[in-house]
Amino acid sequence: MPLSCCRMPWVRLASARCVATACILALAAGFFAGPGGAAERDPLPSWNDGAAKAAIMAFVARVTTKGGADFVPTEQRIATFDNDGTLWAEQPGYVQAAFLMDRLKDMAPQHPEWRTEQPYKAALEGDQKAVAAGGMRAIDGLVMATHAGMTSEEFAEAVRSWITTARHPRFNRPYTDLAYQPMIELVTYLKDQRFKVYIVSGGGVEFMRPWTEAIYGIPPEQVVGSSIKLRYELTGDSPTLLRLPEIDFIDDGPGKPVGIAKAIGRRPIFAAGNSDGDLQMLQWTTLAPGPRFALLVHHTDAEREWAYDRNSAVGKLDKALDEAPGRGWLVVDMKTDWKAVFPFQR
């Protein structure tokens, strides 16, 4: 679904392309009119009126209008959202990495060997270069030390305890306050239009599940993510799932379509991401017959959030940004398209 017409200057409404844009706006406005013609509450109040908001609303109107050429049955209305950088902030580092570091510090008194053993020594001293020099083996070691060796219930409790007390280093607010208000509205809007909304993230699935429902309204069974291996154990009449120090699945890049197929069983018709790690998910969603929509959040607002894309070590957006125009994917300009970024900025 090409969106190039939506980028045309509004003042040239006499041109054919801008007439198309006006039709999109009219269709979106008409869809949200009540039986008597009066406009209902704006479902996306934190989005500025313009091409991006109009394109989203027009697509939803197309696929939910019974009798329309692009009507999609309810059971096929699947939407997938990346989490880090798409639903909440990922700078100056991934939230799960902050959780890892805090757990490492909390566990250090029970592991005196970490004071001299790498990569634990470097991590505890904040020496990121030394940790990076150890490559994926070092990073995997830190993950397994802090995320494995306990039951799923114990890990979930550790996450819940941390997420309610930890604070973001820049804003000095709980990390859950750094969820994007416009994206929360978008998730709610899609759900109201009978889409089934999933999170499909490179983050740990058991890290996200304890809190996604409270923050986004997305229940744990609709969260797909990376995972480590689990082992079932029965002690007396007490069954548990033990978290093992082995990677099971990485739900990032080409792993995202695999995760979608395994966990959801239907191809999405709507997908949202913000980085090259979401490229294959957007391809998987849009390169198929029927009405389809893909969205990239472009971080352009250094004042209210951060401005980054091609050269960022976190949330790099390069190949997907180049591919978006030719695929007709909507690139949301955070600075231009959003009235507010976080709920506390409204």
Side-chain angles (χ1 to χ4, degrees):
M1 183 189 66
L3 298 172
S4 57
C5 65
C6 297
R7 296 298 186 185
M8 294 298 290
W10 299 109
V11 294
R12 298 178 60 192
L13 287 175
S15 71
R17 291 184 179 180
C18 289
V19 168
T21 301
C23 289
I24 289 176
L25 287 168
L27 176 61
F31 180 67
F32 289 101
E40 295 182 358
R41 178 185 61 84
D42 183 356
L44 303 175
S46 295
W47 293 71
N48 285 315
D49 292 332
K53 181 176 180 178
I56 293 168
M57 295 170 67
F59 173 79
V60 174
R62 286 169 52 210
V63 300
T64 58
T65 300
K66 289 185 177 181
D70 291 326
F71 176 73
V72 175
T74 303
E75 65 273 12
Q76 296 176 24
R77 294 179 204 166
I78 303 297
T80 56
F81 284 73
D82 169 58
N83 184 49
D84 296 310
T86 300
L87 291 177
W88 73 351
E90 63 184 356
Q91 296 285 356
Y94 297 116
V95 178
Q96 192 167 355
F99 168 73
L100 181 155
M101 285 305 305
D102 284 350
R103 274 192 59 77
L104 199 71
K105 293 173 185 176
D106 290 343
M107 295 169 66
Q110 287 76 49
H111 295 273
E113 71 277 9
W114 287 356
R115 288 179 292 186
T116 57
E117 183 180 337
Q118 297 290 15
Y120 312 103
K121 179 178 183 295
L124 289 169
E125 293 174 352
D127 190 346
Q128 297 180 9
K129 289 184 178 180
V131 173
M136 287 306 302
R137 182 176 180 180
I139 295 171
D140 286 347
L142 295 173
V143 171
M144 296 310 165
T146 55
H147 286 57
M150 68 198 82
T151 68
S152 289
E153 290 85 354
E154 290 168 340
F155 183 74
E157 182 55 37
V159 172
R160 279 191 288 267
S161 176
W162 182 84
I163 204 75
T164 58
T165 58
R167 303 182 79 84
H168 191 275
R170 173 179 169 183
F171 295 97
N172 193 30
R173 287 176 170 270
Y175 283 96
T176 49
D177 282 1
L178 278 294
Y180 299 135
Q181 180 62 29
M183 298 303 282
I184 294 173
E185 293 170 2
L186 178 54
V187 167
T188 301
Y189 170 44
L190 292 175
K191 289 169 59 182
D192 288 345
Q193 298 303 314
R194 303 184 70 184
F195 278 73
K196 194 167 186 178
V197 180
Y198 291 81
I199 290 174
V200 179
S201 171
V205 65
E206 290 195 284
F207 174 75
M208 295 181 286
R209 283 175 172 168
W211 50 266
T212 58
E213 189 162 23
I215 306 307
Y216 308 133
I218 299 176
E221 65 270 20
Q222 290 168 220
V223 178
V224 183
S226 299
S227 60
I228 65 175
K229 291 184 178 181
L230 302 175
R231 184 176 69 214
Y232 175 77
E233 293 185 348
L234 181 65
T235 304
D237 287 332
S238 298
T240 59
L241 290 172
L242 182 65
R243 294 171 59 83
L244 305 178
E246 299 178 61
I247 296 292
D248 183 38
F249 179 67
I250 300 297
D251 190 57
D252 195 39
K256 289 199 173 187
V258 176
I260 289 169
K262 292 171 67 174
I264 303 174
R266 290 185 185 271
R267 189 181 299 215
I269 66 167
F270 187 108
N274 79 293
S275 74
D276 285 357
D278 303 308
L279 175 60
Q280 290 83 0
M281 178 173 71
L282 270 58
Q283 292 170 337
W284 178 244
T285 299
T286 58
L287 302 183
R292 298 180 174 278
F293 196 97
L295 178 158
L296 278 169
V297 176
H298 191 190
H299 295 265
T300 57
D301 198 327
E303 182 178 347
R304 295 185 298 179
E305 204 236 14
W306 285 269
Y308 62 97
D309 44 43
R310 299 184 189 274
N311 298 314
S312 178
V314 175
K316 180 178 180 179
L317 178 60
D318 184 28
K319 293 180 180 179
L321 191 60
D322 288 339
E323 192 163 321
R327 299 293 191 194
W329 299 343
L330 174 66
V331 178
V332 174
D333 186 307
M334 183 180 285
K335 187 173 184 178
T336 301
D337 292 326
W338 288 359
K339 292 179 183 178
V341 175
F342 305 117
F344 58 84
Q345 293 174 339
R346 287 183 294 175

